[in-house]
Amino acid sequence: MMKTARPVALAIIVGLLVIAALFLYLSPRADRADHEGAEQAIYGPGEFPIADSRIELEVFVASESTKEELEKNRFTSYVEQKLGIKFNFVTTSTSALDEAEDILFASGDYPPILLSGSLTTDEQVRYGKRGILRPLNALIDRYGDRLHEIFQQRPDLRQSLTAPDGNLYALPAINECFHCWYAQKLWINTSWLERLDLPMPKTTDELYQVLQAFKRDDPNGNGLHDEIPLSGAVNSWHSEITGFLMSAFIYNTDRNYFYIENGHVGLAAVQPQWRDGLAYIHKLYSEGLIDPQVFTQSIDGVIEKATRQDNVLGAITVGHIRMAYNNGNNIRQSEYEAVPPLIGPAGYQAAGFFSSFDRSTFAITDKATETEAAAAMRLADFLLTEEATVRNEWGMEDLWWRKGKPGEFDEHGRPAKYWLAPEFAQSDTQNEIWAQMGLLYRDRNLRESWAVSQDPYSIVGYEHRLYQETQNKYEGKEPAEVYPDYIFMEMAEAQEAARLRIPINDYIRFNMVQFITGVKNADADWDDYVEGLEKLKLDRYLELHQNAYDSYRQK
C-alpha cells in the first residue's frame, strides 16, 4: 500500500502544479492569432523606434511585481516608447521560476520570448536540438550592435555562450560584481573580538578558540549564555557554513564539489582532506559552537536572531552582512568584518570563486514570428546598453542618480561617472525600475564607475565596503583553476550528467550533515560513504565533466 500511495500523491501534486502554471501563463495571454498577421520590417541597429508600427511582444518574466504592476512600471514605459513595442507580460515569481519554466516547456505551451528566464546549458542544448529554442547567431549578426561591441571586447564571452553545435541559443545577464565573485564569506563580530581581546582568526585553530570564547565569556554582556558563536542558513546566497569552513582543507563551494588540479577534474567530497574538514566542523558542532539550526533554517531564521534585543550572533556565513542585518540596523551591521579564508592544519587556504553568470536569461522560441524574433533581438540588444542597464537598476536620470560632478571619485580614484542618492535604498522603487529583471550588462567598468562615499558604513558606501573587504582579504586566494559555472556538454552526455548529478549531490549533502552532527563517524563510516558514491557511478560522472572541461579549455 505504501508503494502505491506515494506515486499517486506525487502525480496529484504535479498535476496541480501544471494546472497552476498553465493558468498563470494563459490567464493574461491574448490569442496569438490576433497578432500573427503580416510580417513587418524591423529596422537595423541604432534606429528608434524599431518599426513603422507598434509591435506586441509576449515575454515570460520572473518578478515579484504582478503583471499589472509591470505594465504600469516607468522603466517598462521607457522601453516601450523608445523601441515602439508593447509588452504582454507572462509572469511568475522569482522563487518559482525554475519550476514554472520546466512546466511550460513540458506542456508545449511556452511563450515566444523568455526575457527573464533561467536556462541552464543543458536545457539550451536539449531545447535547441528539438527546435524549441531558436539559434540567435543570424539575429545577432544582423541586429546585435551592442552585442558586437561586447563580443569584440570579450571574445571569450561569445565562445563561452556557444553550444557544441556552434549555435548560440540564449543570452545571460552579465553582472561582474567583484564582491559577488568571492561571496563565500564569514562575517565576525569585531566588537566581541575587541571586548574579549581576541585577534581576527587566521587559521582553523584560531577560529575554534575564538568561537569557544564567544560561547564562554558573555561577549554581549547581558549576563546570559545566549550567544550563538557561529550561524548560517540553507537555501540562501552563499550562507552555508560548510563552504567557507571546508575550504581550509580542500576547495569547496557547496555547488558541485569539484576541484581541479593540473587540468584534472576531481570530487572534493571523496578526498582525505574532506574527511579532515568534516571532523573539524563536527568538533565545532559537538561543542555547541555552531547554531544547532544551521542545517534547517532559512535566512529568515538568521534575521530573527540578528534582530533580538541583545545581539547573540558571533559569526555568520552570508554573502554580505546586510543579508542578516537587513532592517536598517546600521550599528550592528557595522560591527562585523569579513574573516579572510582560513588556513587549515595542512597549510591549505582557498577563497570560493564564482563567475558572473551560471544561467541564461533571454531566449527566443519557435513560437515567435519572424517579426517578433527580430524585434526581440533589437530589444535584447538595447537592454544590454549602458543607458538601459543603469535605468533598469536605478531608475530614470535625476530621480535617484545623476552624472558625476567634479570632486566625486569612483572605486579607483577616477572622476566618478555616476552618483547615487542615499535615499534610493530607502525608497519605494517598485513602479520605477525593473530591479535587474531581464538582460543587463554590468561589467566591472560600469559597476566601479560610481561615486564612492567617504563613509563605507553608510547605505551608499556599502558597495565600497564590500569591495574593500574582498580586495583586501579574498582576491587572488582562489585556486588557479576552478570548474566553470557555465559549461556545455553534448546533448547525450548532458542528459546523462544531469541524471547522475541529483543523487550524487543529494548523497554528499545528506552525509555531510550526518558526519557533522555525529550521526556518522568520519573515521568508522568513511569507507562505506565512499563506496556509496562509487555505486552512484561517480567515475562516469567525473568522466563526463572531464570531457566537458577539456572541450571548454580548447575553445
Side-chain angles (χ1 to χ4, degrees):
M1 191 69 181
M2 291 297 292
K3 290 182 179 180
T4 58
R6 186 173 179 182
V8 170
L10 182 59
I12 293 172
I13 292 171
V14 171
L16 291 173
L17 284 172
V18 170
I19 293 170
L22 290 180
F23 177 79
L24 171 72
Y25 177 64
L26 292 172
S27 58
R29 186 185 184 199
D31 188 345
R32 286 190 56 76
D34 293 341
H35 62 275
E36 285 184 345
E39 298 285 357
Q40 292 188 58
I42 301 299
Y43 300 147
E47 293 192 60
F48 297 98
I50 63 174
D52 282 337
S53 59
R54 189 170 293 270
I55 297 171
E56 183 176 347
L57 293 180
E58 187 177 348
V59 298
F60 178 67
V61 298
S63 174
E64 297 313 309
S65 298
T66 65
K67 172 182 180 290
E68 292 74 20
E69 289 168 335
L70 285 172
E71 288 173 342
K72 298 174 184 177
N73 186 283
R74 191 173 176 186
F75 184 71
T76 298
S77 299
Y78 164 73
V79 175
E80 287 181 333
Q81 292 173 14
K82 178 85 173 182
L83 273 67
I85 62 174
K86 173 62 179 162
F87 286 114
N88 179 19
F89 290 108
V90 180
T91 63
T92 189
S93 67
T94 52
S95 60
L97 172 58
D98 289 336
E99 292 80 4
E101 192 176 86
D102 289 345
I103 291 170
L104 291 176
F105 278 120
S107 72
D109 206 358
Y110 45 85
I113 301 160
L114 272 67
L115 182 58
S116 179
S118 177
L119 290 167
T120 66
T121 53
D122 296 353
E123 290 169 333
Q124 291 172 50
V125 170
R126 182 165 71 252
Y127 298 141
K129 289 284 188 182
R130 290 165 55 186
I132 292 173
L133 295 184
R134 176 173 181 151
L136 303 178
N137 306 46
L139 288 168
I140 291 173
D141 289 344
R142 184 170 181 181
Y143 299 107
D145 193 40
R146 173 60 173 155
L147 277 163
H148 290 155
E149 181 182 19
I150 291 172
F151 289 154
Q152 186 174 19
Q153 296 169 352
R154 295 278 307 278
D156 61 305
L157 183 57
R158 181 159 196 163
Q159 292 172 353
S160 296
L161 299 177
T162 301
D165 63 2
N167 286 318
L168 200 156
Y169 291 107
L171 298 172
I174 303 295
N175 177 22
E176 294 184 341
C177 167
F178 179 57
H179 77 86
C180 306
W181 288 350
Y182 301 89
Q184 191 166 276
K185 293 181 172 73
L186 174 67
W187 296 85
I188 199 162
N189 192 322
T190 54
S191 67
W192 288 13
L193 291 178
E194 293 171 5
R195 191 168 299 153
L196 301 180
D197 194 25
L198 295 168
M200 174 69 76
K202 297 179 180 177
T203 67
T204 50
D205 187 57
E206 288 177 2
L207 178 66
Y208 171 65
Q209 294 173 26
V210 164
L211 297 180
Q212 280 186 315
F214 282 177
K215 178 179 175 62
R216 181 187 63 233
D217 296 339
D218 189 28
N220 67 6
N222 66 359
L224 304 172
H225 289 292
D226 58 351
E227 288 83 1
I228 300 172
L230 172 60
S231 189
V234 295
N235 299 326
S236 191
W237 193 58
H238 302 293
S239 61
E240 295 87 352
I241 64 166
T242 46
F244 182 88
L245 295 178
M246 189 64 76
S247 287
F249 297 85
I250 191 169
Y251 187 66
N252 175 46
T253 63
D254 281 330
R255 278 196 175 180
N256 53 37
Y257 308 105
F258 293 142
Y259 72 96
I260 297 180
E261 190 171 299
N262 298 322
H264 175 74
V265 179
L267 190 79
V270 294
Q271 304 305 317
Q273 299 95 320
W274 188 268
R275 179 177 56 188
D276 295 341
L278 291 173
Y280 171 75
I281 303 172
H282 168 66
K283 181 173 72 170
L284 301 184
Y285 187 90
S286 65
E287 296 185 19
L289 306 182
I290 293 176
D291 187 343
Q293 296 177 310
V294 75
F295 297 117
T296 56
Q297 72 184 351
S298 68
I299 193 64
D300 290 338
V302 175
I303 292 171
E304 184 277 322
K305 291 165 182 171
T307 53
R308 292 177 185 175
Q309 182 175 355
D310 294 317
N311 195 13
V312 298
L313 294 177
I316 321 164
T317 48
V318 281
H320 61 86
I321 192 60
R322 284 188 187 272
M323 289 175 61
Y325 296 95
N326 67 349
N327 62 342
N329 191 327
N330 197 55
I331 295 178
R332 280 192 182 176
Q333 61 88 16
S334 67
E335 293 175 348
Y336 289 80
E337 291 183 10
V339 178
L342 296 174
I343 301 171
Y348 186 80
Q349 177 192 41
F353 184 80
F354 310 89
S355 69
S356 61
F357 61 93
D358 60 359
R359 297 193 178 200
S360 273
T361 297
F362 172 86
I364 302 173
T365 75
D366 59 347
K367 298 292 181 73
T369 66
E370 292 300 317
T371 295
E372 290 169 338
M377 182 51 63
R378 283 294 314 272
L379 168 65
D381 200 64
F382 175 68
L383 291 176
L384 290 168
T385 64
E386 186 168 312
E387 172 189 349
T389 293
V390 170
R391 285 163 173 76
N392 179 321
E393 185 172 9
W394 306 112
M396 298 299 108
E397 186 173 2
D398 293 326
L399 179 61
W400 291 297
W401 67 271
R402 58 166 170 75
K403 293 186 171 62
K405 294 181 179 179
E408 295 172 345
F409 300 96
D410 72 7
E411 198 63 65
H412 303 281
R414 304 168 301 194
K417 192 171 186 179
Y418 302 106
W419 174 90
L420 181 67
E423 291 78 16
F424 176 84
Q426 299 172 321
S427 300
D428 182 5
T429 62
Q430 181 172 343
N431 293 324
E432 298 288 341
I433 63 175
W434 274 7
Q436 303 177 30
M437 183 185 82
L439 284 174
L440 306 94
Y441 187 72
R442 296 187 294 162
D443 63 352
R444 287 193 64 177
N445 187 55
L446 173 58
R447 286 192 62 107
E448 295 164 18
S449 66
W450 292 71
V452 169
S453 170
Q454 297 301 308
D455 179 8
Y457 295 98
S458 67
I459 292 176
V460 294
Y462 189 54
E463 187 83 7
H464 175 53
R465 177 184 172 196
L466 295 175
Y467 181 93
Q468 288 185 313
E469 290 277 21
T470 303
Q471 183 183 50
N472 296 336
K473 300 174 181 177
Y474 293 82
E475 183 181 23
K477 291 185 172 64
E478 71 275 17
E481 290 182 280
V482 297
Y483 194 81
D485 289 329
Y486 200 90
I487 191 168
F488 281 99
M489 294 182 181
E490 296 286 354
M491 185 167 69
E493 293 194 342
Q495 291 175 333
E496 184 180 1
R499 287 194 300 269
L500 295 173
R501 179 186 305 116
I502 293 175
I504 286 175
N505 284 355
D506 285 350
Y507 182 87
I508 292 170
R509 294 187 186 105
F510 176 77
N511 280 275
M512 183 162 50
V513 174
Q514 290 208 315
F515 281 122
I516 291 170
T517 57
V519 176
K520 290 186 177 181
N521 182 279
D523 291 321
D525 298 313
W526 180 255
D527 289 342
D528 288 341
Y529 159 73
V530 173
E531 183 179 349
L533 272 172
E534 292 171 349
K535 289 179 179 178
L536 293 173
K537 300 183 178 179
L538 176 60
D539 287 346
R540 176 57 179 164
Y541 182 62
L542 290 175
E543 180 184 8
L544 293 169
H545 285 279
Q546 184 68 59
N547 293 340
Y549 185 63
D550 290 342
S551 297
Y552 175 86
R553 290 201 300 171
Q554 292 169 6
K555 280 189 174 183

